[in-house]
Amino acid sequence: MSNIFSEIGISALDFIGISVPFILTMLFFFESRNRKHFWPHPLMLLILVLQCAIAILLKSGLTIKIFAALVLMTVLIIETGTKKRKNLAISKSEL
């Protein structure tokens, strides 16, 4: 398994350590329609940001830094785009 990731320059542990919080963050973001269970999303978002920041600042190797930065940018784009779309839909429904 680590041979697959060593070809691209990311260790399997680093890849899994960033991918799992990313997938959980997106899962909680798109499934948190119920306000009663809203708390997991900010918690997973914080864990993801810390994990990516540690990877960017402390890990050696350009590929892991680029991967962590791309994951952070993806989360930022998805969350801001979705929130703007929801706000636009709310403002149109008020008219």
Side-chain angles (χ1 to χ4, degrees), residues 51-78:
Q51 192 92 6
C52 289
I54 288 171
I56 291 170
L57 296 174
L58 299 178
K59 297 284 183 174
S60 62
L62 186 60
T63 54
I64 187 66
K65 293 180 181 198
I66 291 173
F67 178 66
L70 287 174
V71 167
L72 280 178
M73 289 298 295
T74 303
V75 169
L76 178 70
I77 291 169
I78 290 172

Side-chain angles (χ1 to χ4, degrees), residues 2-64:
S2 62
N3 289 338
I4 296 170
F5 293 106
S6 66
E7 292 176 2
I8 57 175
I10 299 174
S11 71
L13 187 61
D14 289 336
F15 180 79
I16 292 171
I18 292 174
S19 297
V20 169
F22 172 72
I23 292 169
L24 286 174
T25 301
M26 291 294 102
L27 177 71
F28 287 132
F29 177 69
F30 287 114
E31 293 297 324
S32 65
R33 302 191 199 292
N34 187 359
R35 288 292 187 201
K36 181 180 176 183
H37 300 291
F38 183 71
W39 63 269
H41 174 65
L43 178 66
M44 285 309 302
L45 186 61
L46 177 68
I47 291 170
L48 177 68
V49 168
L50 289 174
Q51 192 92 6
C52 289
I54 288 171
I56 291 170
L57 296 174
L58 299 178
K59 297 284 183 174
S60 62
L62 186 60
T63 54
I64 187 66

